[in-house]
Amino acid sequence: ILYTTTISNKGNQASDNIVITNPVPAHSRYLDGTAKGEHCVITYSVDDGKSYGNSQSLKVRLKDGRLRAAQASDCTHIRWEYRRSLLPAEVKNISFQTQLL
């Protein structure tokens, strides 16, 4: 399933500091490498949005207390930080894909 969020500036001035967070829907898993967004820094959460990091830095705690590298299927939320000003009337799209479980 492809999810697309449209970001638009309907104001009269440029918008800065735009951050969009999307949860990975229930009964699906995030497909690695599918999060897209021009001029965005994309980070991920594996703890229901409490903390974010790049996909290489995230860890998941196992039942025995040990940590393992997070996998795409552990992702619970995706965050896009738009790193430019969004000009009046400008429209951008961000997206990600999931697979139903």
Side-chain angles (χ1 to χ4, degrees):
I1 299 171
L2 173 65
Y3 292 90
T4 302
T5 300
T6 300
I7 305 164
S8 62
N9 183 349
K10 296 185 180 186
N12 296 353
Q13 298 178 341
S15 293
D16 296 320
N17 303 314
I18 298 169
V19 177
I20 305 292
T21 302
N22 282 322
V24 174
H27 309 293
S28 69
R29 68 173 172 219
Y30 168 67
L31 294 177
D32 191 28
T34 63
K36 306 286 184 214
E38 183 180 36
H39 308 301
C40 290
V41 172
I42 302 171
T43 53
Y44 305 87
S45 176
V46 295
D47 60 5
D48 293 320
K50 295 177 187 127
S51 62
Y52 288 84
N54 64 42
S55 58
Q56 296 81 24
S57 68
L58 295 172
K59 305 283 185 209
V60 173
R61 188 167 303 280
L62 301 173
K63 290 180 182 179
D64 65 6
R66 291 183 298 139
L67 293 175
R68 69 160 170 80
Q71 300 171 353
S73 60
D74 297 314
C75 182
T76 61
H77 291 74
I78 306 168
R79 177 173 285 170
W80 292 260
E81 293 181 48
Y82 190 68
R83 294 299 186 151
R84 295 203 173 167
S85 293
L86 191 65
L87 302 175
E90 189 172 15
V91 177
K92 295 289 183 184
N93 290 316
I94 58 174
S95 64
F96 69 102
Q97 293 179 32
T98 67
Q99 180 178 40
L100 292 175
L101 298 176

